[in-house]
Amino acid sequence: MSEEIIDPDLPIIDPHHHLWDLRPLLPAFPEPRHPFLEAIAGAAYYTFDELQQDTRGGLGGGHNIVGTVFMECGAFYDPSRGEALKSVGEVEFVGGVAAQGASGLYGDYRPCAGIVGHADLTLGDAVKPVIEALQAAGNGRFRGIRHAAAWDADPDVLGPPFHAPEGLYTSDAFRAGFAAYAEYGLTFDAWLLEPQLGDVIHLAKAFPEQTIILDHCGTPLGIASYKGKLHENFDRWRRSIHTLAECPNVSVKLGGLAMAFCGLPEDGPMSGHGAEHLAALWRPYIETCIEAFGADRAMFESNYPVDRWGASYDVLWNAFKRLARSHSAAEKRALFSGTAARIYGIEHVLPNA
């Protein structure tokens, strides 16, 4: 679905997208596939050209994407490095994409200006050489890690691609690695599901100096055994968000709601809903997060290509702009670029920086 771009000059940093080639992996998952796999199957190959086509930064048309942050997704690992270090391959690959964009041949925007990789924090102190290898591979662009903890007792919620153990963020092994990681002054992205938000609250309170970013509004669930229960669980989610916002070291990403897990909408992929409809679906979650965290600790994200389930890239950002209409110019700058630039240390991509 195409729409006229709202406020096309507003600078945007997209602080959460992926790059991958899932084509060799998809045949391993039998039909019928989990809705998440169905959603990403249409974007099984997503690297520089596909990102460029969506963002169109600096080349005319579309939204004014001035920079992006890559988020780890288990892609392009290098098994020759061994189990602990194989994730360095992902950062090396993304560094090449960043260098391609930085050449200036594709306009003024800077894709992958920040890179968030992965390290297994259950390694304890042994995670330190992994972090240092990731930093070296990032060539100045590495900003932190994500170690996802998404888990649910109902296996149909997440499906086969996800295997985080229950209570990961509260385990002794993870906390030991987290303490070692905290020495580096890098960011930590947390992805887990709405019923698990207590785990990240405890983590944030235990490590008040560590910058933590909560991904995807805390991932409210509207799938499998949670189908039809978004309204029923909303107050629980809202209480958790306000409690988490009391931790000044935590920020939130406003997005991810078009994932199949959330069911907002239920009838993806790219089902043709316009920005006005999507904004109405997402408003209770987005407005609650901004109210709790404030614009200086909140940032809109595309979560692309995963969120293609619910919206094209242009429609997605139009929906966000509709949701931000009541905010001041300064708040909009923070929500669409300033918060992400500060937290991920990529202020240099902003105009007139």
Side-chain angles (χ1 to χ4, degrees), residues 69-88:
V69 176
F70 168 83
M71 182 56 53
E72 68 86 25
C73 53
F76 305 109
Y77 278 13
D78 180 2
S80 70
R81 295 176 179 269
E83 185 66 23
L85 288 163
K86 65 182 182 181
S87 63
V88 175

Side-chain angles (χ1 to χ4, degrees), residues 63-179:
H63 296 277
N64 184 21
I65 311 296
V66 299
T68 77
V69 176
F70 168 83
M71 182 56 53
E72 68 86 25
C73 53
F76 305 109
Y77 278 13
D78 180 2
S80 70
R81 295 176 179 269
E83 185 66 23
L85 288 163
K86 65 182 182 181
S87 63
V88 175
E90 181 176 57
V91 172
E92 285 187 332
F93 173 83
V94 177
V97 172
Q100 186 175 357
S103 70
L105 292 173
Y106 307 92
D108 293 333
Y109 96 125
R110 295 295 177 260
C112 308
I115 300 174
V116 176
H118 172 74
D120 180 1
L121 293 182
T122 66
L123 294 171
D125 272 350
V127 79
K128 290 183 175 180
V130 180
I131 302 304
E132 289 157 14
L134 291 167
Q135 287 179 306
N139 196 28
R141 296 185 176 97
F142 181 72
R143 293 296 181 264
I145 68 165
R146 178 171 73 165
H147 190 161
W151 175 89
D152 194 81
D154 178 358
D156 291 333
V157 170
L158 288 164
F162 301 101
H163 304 282
E166 180 182 5
L168 176 64
Y169 288 171
T170 63
S171 69
D172 291 343
F174 180 89
R175 292 293 179 94
F178 202 81

Side-chain angles (χ1 to χ4, degrees), residues 84-313:
L85 288 163
K86 65 182 182 181
S87 63
V88 175
E90 181 176 57
V91 172
E92 285 187 332
F93 173 83
V94 177
V97 172
Q100 186 175 357
S103 70
L105 292 173
Y106 307 92
D108 293 333
Y109 96 125
R110 295 295 177 260
C112 308
I115 300 174
V116 176
H118 172 74
D120 180 1
L121 293 182
T122 66
L123 294 171
D125 272 350
V127 79
K128 290 183 175 180
V130 180
I131 302 304
E132 289 157 14
L134 291 167
Q135 287 179 306
N139 196 28
R141 296 185 176 97
F142 181 72
R143 293 296 181 264
I145 68 165
R146 178 171 73 165
H147 190 161
W151 175 89
D152 194 81
D154 178 358
D156 291 333
V157 170
L158 288 164
F162 301 101
H163 304 282
E166 180 182 5
L168 176 64
Y169 288 171
T170 63
S171 69
D172 291 343
F174 180 89
R175 292 293 179 94
F178 202 81
Y181 177 69
E183 298 176 17
Y184 290 88
L186 299 164
T187 64
F188 179 77
D189 269 73
W191 181 49
L192 71 178
L193 309 178
E194 179 272 322
Q196 301 176 275
L197 284 172
D199 291 357
V200 76
I201 291 169
H202 294 151
L203 184 68
K205 289 181 176 180
F207 295 89
E209 303 303 316
Q210 172 63 49
T211 298
I212 296 174
I213 304 101
L214 176 69
D215 292 347
H216 313 327
C217 297
T219 314
L221 294 174
I223 194 173
S225 56
Y226 294 89
K227 190 174 179 66
K229 296 183 178 180
L230 282 166
H231 181 74
E232 176 183 330
N233 293 328
F234 182 81
D235 285 345
R236 181 179 67 184
W237 170 85
R238 179 170 52 189
R239 288 192 297 271
S240 295
I241 288 295
H242 278 276
T243 301
L244 187 59
E246 293 172 2
C247 302
N249 55 320
V250 181
S251 299
V252 65
K253 285 181 176 171
L254 308 170
L257 297 172
M259 290 191 293
F261 305 124
C262 304
L264 294 165
E266 290 184 343
D267 55 345
M270 286 185 65
S271 49
H273 295 301
E276 185 174 4
H277 176 76
L278 293 172
L281 288 178
W282 301 341
R283 186 177 304 280
Y285 296 97
I286 299 296
E287 289 187 347
T288 297
C289 285
I290 296 174
E291 175 192 357
F293 284 89
D296 287 335
R297 288 196 290 144
M299 61 189 95
F300 285 113
E301 55 157 340
S302 76
N303 191 34
Y304 241 60
V306 178
D307 278 31
R308 283 182 63 171
W309 171 261
S312 70
Y313 198 83

Side-chain angles (χ1 to χ4, degrees), residues 20 22 26 34-45 161 269 305-307 309:
W20 55 37
L22 302 178
L26 287 176
H34 184 276
F36 173 79
L37 288 172
E38 283 299 320
I40 63 175
Y45 185 75
V306 178
D307 278 31
W309 171 261

